[in-house]
Amino acid sequence: MDFLYRQIASLGISCLFLSGGLLLFPVYADNIAESTDFNVDTRDYGGSEVAQSGDFTVDTTTESSSGPTESVIFALDTRVPSPDLASSQSALFTVNTLAGVPGPLTVHGLLKSTTGAFVGGASIEIKIYGQAWWRGVSGPDGSFYPPEMKAQNYVVTVQKTGYVTLVKNVVGMSGGLRTLPLLIQPLAPVPTTQTTAQQPTTGEKSDPDGEADPTPASGDPETQLKIYSSGQWRLVGAAGSPGINPNAMTVVLSHGWLSRPGDWPLPMALLIHNNHALGALPNILAWDWESAADSLAPWPDRACKQGEALGLALRRRLGLNYGQRVHFIGHSMGTLVNRFACDTVHQYGTMNGGDIGWNPALTKPHMTLLDEAEIASVLGTRVITSATIGAITAGWAGALREAAVTAYQDWKSPIPATPTSLVDSYISMVGIQRDKAVNVCLTAPAIGFMNPIDAHGYAHQWYRNSAQSPFSPILGFTQAYERGGTLPPSGNGLTPGSLWYEKLSTPALLDLALDPNPTSLECNLGIIGAYSIQSAATIGADPIGSAVVAGEAVGKLYKAGINWVGDKGGTLIIKTQKATANVTEKIGEGLDAANDKVKDVLNSLDPERLIDGVSRSTFQILLGGGGVSARGAGGPESDGPGSTEEPSAWLTLAIPANAAMMQFDFTVNGPPAEDCIAAAVAGKNVFNLPARYAPEGEVQSTDLIDVSSYAGQTLEFYFGLVGGTSSECELVIDGLRFITIPQPKLEIENHASTVSLHWPAAASGWILEASETLAGNTWQEVIPNPGALTVAEGVMRLEEARSASRQFYRLRRMP
């Protein structure tokens, strides 16, 4: 029988229509309870099954405001065609909508080590709905017996010195006796150490490929700073190059990873030249760091060095007292270059001593972020995006926003410490919402399913369109000083933290719609670029998306895992007098220190979000002030005040055979002066960052460092605090882990005359092979034609002409 349940508001009654009759029962305004969905079996048991209803709701409200949650008695007409209809009608019956109440829950816990031994003396805590309910200690045989509780979900936390913390969610919705076996992991053994007078080599301490060109001698041209003139870039100071006007405003264009000034900055420079609204032509400059940006993996530490060099070049050419307005426009990792340049020219938080730098009250810096440098963090396993709104309840929004803002104000942030007049951020693939920026979420890449390269470049394409638009859009080049914008902007939606969406339902190319609730942002935390734009809201008729876009080309090609060095233990560390080794517990899932901060906030709000295994055993290296003795303290193992010793540690590690990248965490305690954090593998520097850029006392993470060429080898690693300028700084290194790829995935796209093959660029040690048949050993290595093989966004791409016959492809690991 088919059922239809309706409310007839005008009559104040509810009707349940049945195929054989009609039943009315009263509904009152004083609602007490309503049943959950349930099934009514309407099958005819006369021999053949006719039908069973789907789930539906029956309103069981009673007249009394304090009455029971049990329905009144009513009849269901279940008659079936029969000569004797009366005999087939049901009697009155009661529908009981009281929820089932299970009996009490009794828990018998048993705690063991992963080695198999019982663990006594461990502190046990049980939380229910985020509140501590019971605390106890495990007995010698590992047992613990919390009091009887109601059947409900709960969280068990186990802690003991020498073990990593265990946090486990337990589903306990049924009553009765429940045995709860728990396993807790011991900390790794303390590494064996020995002292040495070994000094780090230049190759271990510095990254020559990432350094800026030397400072030019007086009168020589800059080697990386270029000025726009007659449709091309010219070196500043070179013969025939126009001079920089210290009385005009300055626009600085910085390209990103695997890019160059001749890409998007060149047409942007032409548009600024032709569309500016100033009396004098602005200085239109570009920073050429192509050689440092041309590498397999993005190097944010290179970007900060390049930014400092850009800032110094601007000071040389525009003077130490430059007082005109300045606009920094950067794409991808170029936003980081601009951030460090802005702080360098204004002397905010970057350089010690010397002159005071430009006055931001006069320069009024404007920072434009075009799909900012989170591209590095996508490949470095973390993303937060505001392409999601309304997906979090009001109670979560503020805390989540606070967590995101706090966690992402790290050394890789493109927001300068310098006071700014405007930061406008255009998010097309991997940018994130910033509370200090006017944010524009460009939704076309999500709706249009662009490939990652086009999606990432859509931000600078949109901004260029705003510079040549016949009308003035809400945001974009309209707000720039060059176009006559008044900064800081004023008006609804033009204040820091606001969020706009690209409005795709109108024919106007640059229409934006304001999100009325920009604090409702959601964290999307992915591994190796797994990144999605999702939304539970729409603005007008515009879908905000439900599409996998940025980073997909990387993330879906292989499954990544984390291989923690500390899980193995027994690592040999060779130290100087200012280095010590330890083992410790690492709280978090290990993707990124900022990631873990966000998740800690989420977990504190809803403990049932916790997953097993959020803690790890890791070794820890202390370099400098926290080592054997404080640097400069004059102790027996100190070199005395003003020591130039560079605290260093070397260790030998077996790199997993399937390792693609590595990552580690670091914390700077105390003033580092001009010292740098350095790391090297097999004598080659892989990370070099001025320690002053790390917020003091805050755990920071490197982005992913490519170690794929070392996979399967046992090599020496180096960590150091180099430079010898600090006497009080301590550097803590921990959380070293390898990102492994069990097996790369090969993807093929068919086109009219070609096939496009994609696989992870990090999967070194694998070769592409082809065969016309799967029978026999007929596989041959594919030798690409010149220019057919490219690397972009962490993905290898090969365009092959379609074969007249069938063609099979595979990746094979080289022996």
Side-chain angles (χ1 to χ4, degrees):
M1 299 180 181
D2 296 324
F3 288 77
L4 179 62
Y5 181 69
R6 297 176 179 172
Q7 295 281 348
I8 306 179
S10 61
L11 299 179
I13 60 176
S14 294
C15 300
L16 182 64
F17 289 89
L18 308 175
S19 59
L22 170 65
L23 169 71
L24 301 181
F25 56 94
V27 174
Y28 299 91
D30 189 7
N31 290 337
I32 301 299
E34 181 170 317
S35 73
T36 56
D37 292 342
F38 62 97
N39 286 324
V40 173
D41 192 336
T42 61
R43 289 177 292 182
D44 172 18
Y45 288 97
S48 62
E49 295 187 357
V50 179
Q52 181 171 330
S53 74
D55 293 346
F56 64 95
T57 298
V58 174
D59 190 324
T60 61
T61 303
T62 61
E63 184 174 359
S64 171
S65 61
S66 59
T69 58
E70 183 173 322
S71 71
V72 295
I73 295 176
F74 62 97
L76 292 179
D77 190 338
T78 59
R79 289 176 294 181
V80 295
S82 169
D84 184 8
L85 293 179
S87 64
S88 300
Q89 183 171 349
S90 71
L92 298 178
F93 65 95
T94 297
V95 177
N96 191 333
T97 61
L98 287 171
V101 180
L105 175 64
T106 302
V107 174
H108 289 178
L110 183 64
L111 180 63
K112 284 187 175 183
S113 166
T114 52
T115 63
F118 295 110
V119 179
S123 299
I124 314 289
E125 181 183 69
I126 293 180
K127 285 185 177 181
I128 298 174
Y129 301 120
Q131 301 297 316
W133 177 77
W134 176 80
R135 293 185 176 94
V137 178
S138 61
D141 60 353
S143 61
F144 58 94
Y145 302 96
E148 185 179 271
M149 70 178 84
K150 292 181 180 180
Q152 57 201 317
N153 294 345
Y154 55 98
V155 180
V156 181
T157 302
V158 182
Q159 291 182 307
K160 184 176 181 178
T161 302
Y163 292 83
V164 297
T165 300
L166 172 65
V167 182
K168 186 176 182 63
N169 283 352
V170 181
V171 178
M173 297 305 291
S174 58
L177 176 64
R178 181 188 183 100
T179 302
L180 182 63
L182 297 174
L183 291 176
I184 190 169
Q185 179 190 19
L187 285 174
V190 177
T192 304
T193 63
Q194 71 181 66
T195 302
T196 180
Q198 180 178 343
Q199 296 297 318
T201 65
T202 301
E204 289 173 323
K205 295 191 296 183
S206 63
D207 166 32
D209 294 333
E211 298 297 328
D213 289 336
T215 302
S218 178
D220 290 344
E222 300 284 345
T223 55
Q224 291 180 255
L225 186 62
K226 296 183 175 182
I227 188 169
Y228 180 78
S229 176
S230 302
Q232 60 182 307
W233 295 114
R234 299 176 183 272
L235 287 178
V236 171
S241 176
I244 293 182
N245 182 359
N247 298 313
M249 80 157 291
T250 297
V251 183
V252 180
L253 305 172
S254 294
H255 65 82
W257 178 45
L258 296 176
S259 185
R260 54 200 54 82
D263 294 339
W264 69 268
L266 188 60
M268 188 71 230
L270 174 63
L271 291 170
I272 295 173
H273 181 280
N274 293 340
N275 292 280
H276 75 86
L278 303 173
L281 179 69
N283 301 303
I284 306 174
L285 307 175
W287 185 249
D288 186 351
W289 65 296
E290 176 184 350
S291 60
D294 188 13
S295 61
L296 172 62
W299 293 43
D301 52 317
R302 288 185 176 182
C304 83
K305 298 284 189 66
Q306 293 290 325
E308 280 194 339
L310 168 57
L312 294 174
L314 292 173
R315 287 162 64 92
R316 280 194 300 269
R317 297 297 172 171
L318 287 166
L320 300 180
N321 298 313
Y322 181 69
Q324 305 300 317
R325 295 183 174 183
V326 60
H327 184 187
F328 290 95
I329 305 173
H331 174 243
S332 187
M333 210 175 298
T335 61
L336 275 183
V337 174
N338 284 347
R339 171 264 171 106
F340 292 112
C342 183
D343 282 341
T344 298
V345 295
H346 295 96
Q347 295 281 280
Y348 274 83
T350 60
M351 303 183 70
N352 298 320
D355 39 68
I356 62 172
W358 297 353
N359 183 354
L362 299 177
T363 59
K364 300 183 184 299
H366 175 190
M367 309 295 295
T368 293
L369 315 179
L370 304 174
D371 212 33
E372 58 154 285
E374 284 301 305
I375 179 62
S377 296
V378 165
L379 297 176
T381 75
R382 67 181 176 84
V383 175
I384 289 183
T385 179
S386 316
T388 60
I389 61 173
I392 298 175
T393 63
W396 285 53
L400 180 57
R401 178 179 174 80
E402 179 182 353
V405 168
T406 300
Y408 283 80
Q409 297 303 317
D410 60 5
W411 70 272
K412 297 180 288 296
S413 170
I415 308 294
T418 307
T420 56
S421 61
L422 172 64
V423 179
D424 50 344
S425 177
Y426 303 86
I427 305 163
S428 64
M429 189 178 86
V430 292
I432 66 174
Q433 179 179 334
R434 298 282 180 176
D435 70 322
K436 296 182 179 180
V438 178
N439 303 276
V440 178
C441 182
L442 301 172
T443 54
I447 306 302
F449 293 94
M450 296 182 186
N451 66 59
I453 297 176
D454 292 342
H456 188 37
Y458 184 73
H460 61 68
Q461 179 62 59
W462 191 95
Y463 194 79
R464 293 203 308 274
N465 288 339
S466 76
Q468 56 189 339
S469 172
F471 68 96
S472 296
I474 297 168
L475 282 160
F477 191 64
T478 300
Q479 295 293 338
Y481 292 122
E482 310 91 287
R483 187 67 174 262
T486 301
L487 298 183
S490 60
N492 186 32
L494 297 179
T495 55
S498 58
L499 177 63
W500 295 81
Y501 282 93
E502 186 178 20
K503 195 170 185 180
L504 300 176
S505 61
T506 64
L509 186 64
L510 301 170
D511 272 3
L512 299 175
L514 180 64
D515 173 14
N517 186 22
T519 62
S520 295
L521 71 130
E522 180 180 357
C523 299
N524 291 318
L525 306 171
I527 298 178
I528 311 296
Y531 174 90
S532 64
I533 290 181
Q534 301 170 327
S535 177
T538 60
I539 295 181
D542 296 315
I544 302 306
S546 181
V548 175
V549 285
E552 172 82 357
V554 179
K556 70 184 180 182
L557 295 179
Y558 55 86
K559 180 180 179 181
I562 298 178
N563 192 325
W564 286 75
V565 172
D567 286 345
K568 294 180 172 54
T571 302
L572 175 65
I573 298 181
I574 305 173
K575 59 177 181 127
T576 65
Q577 292 181 344
K578 299 299 182 294
T580 59
N582 188 23
V583 292
T584 186
E585 179 182 16
K586 190 71 177 177
I587 305 297
E589 294 178 23
L591 302 180
D592 185 272
N595 248 7
D596 292 335
K597 287 183 183 179
V598 174
K599 291 193 174 184
D600 287 345
V601 172
L602 296 181
N603 290 337
S604 67
L605 293 170
D606 182 3
E608 294 186 3
R609 290 175 59 95
L610 286 169
I611 63 171
D612 297 346
V614 295
S615 301
R616 295 289 188 274
S617 172
T618 182
F619 72 84
Q620 187 177 73
I621 307 173
L622 287 77
L623 303 170
V628 175
S629 63
R631 299 183 69 195
E637 294 181 310
S638 168
D639 293 332
S643 168
T644 58
E645 181 185 353
E646 298 174 322
S648 300
W650 293 262
L651 60 144
T652 302
L653 290 175
I655 303 176
N658 53 357
M661 303 282 183
M662 83 168 190
Q663 195 173 32
F664 63 88
D665 297 336
F666 57 90
T667 307
V668 175
N669 298 313
E674 298 302 306
D675 283 355
C676 290
I677 303 163
V681 180
K684 179 177 175 55
N685 182 271
V686 294
F687 185 77
N688 183 277
L689 176 74
R692 60 180 176 271
Y693 289 127
E696 190 171 333
E698 293 288 330
V699 180
Q700 304 285 295
S701 294
T702 66
D703 279 301
L704 289 184
I705 299 169
D706 180 20
V707 293
S708 56
S709 60
Y710 304 121
Q713 303 179 46
T714 299
L715 299 172
E716 186 177 75
F717 285 63
Y718 165 78
F719 299 96
L721 184 65
V722 302
T725 63
S726 168
S727 61
E728 302 175 7
C729 182
E730 174 191 76
L731 174 65
V732 180
I733 302 290
D734 60 21
L736 178 61
R737 60 266 192 193
F738 293 106
I739 311 300
T740 61
I741 49 173
Q743 186 169 343
K745 181 180 178 182
L746 179 66
E747 290 195 338
I748 301 177
E749 295 178 359
N750 279 313
H751 305 293
S753 59
T754 63
V755 292
S756 178
L757 297 105
H758 310 153
W759 67 96
S764 62
W766 295 76
I767 59 175
L768 179 66
E769 294 182 332
S771 174
E772 293 183 357
T773 177
L774 295 177
N777 188 15
T778 59
W779 294 96
Q780 298 293 323
E781 181 178 356
V782 176
I783 307 299
N785 293 322
L789 183 64
T790 60
V791 181
E793 314 298 339
V795 178
M796 301 287 289
R797 302 173 184 277
L798 176 63
E799 296 292 331
E800 282 271 287
R802 287 180 64 92
S803 173
S805 58
R806 289 189 308 173
Q807 195 80 349
F808 298 94
Y809 294 90
R810 75 178 185 183
L811 289 173
R812 180 176 64 85
R813 183 185 287 278
M814 293 184 295

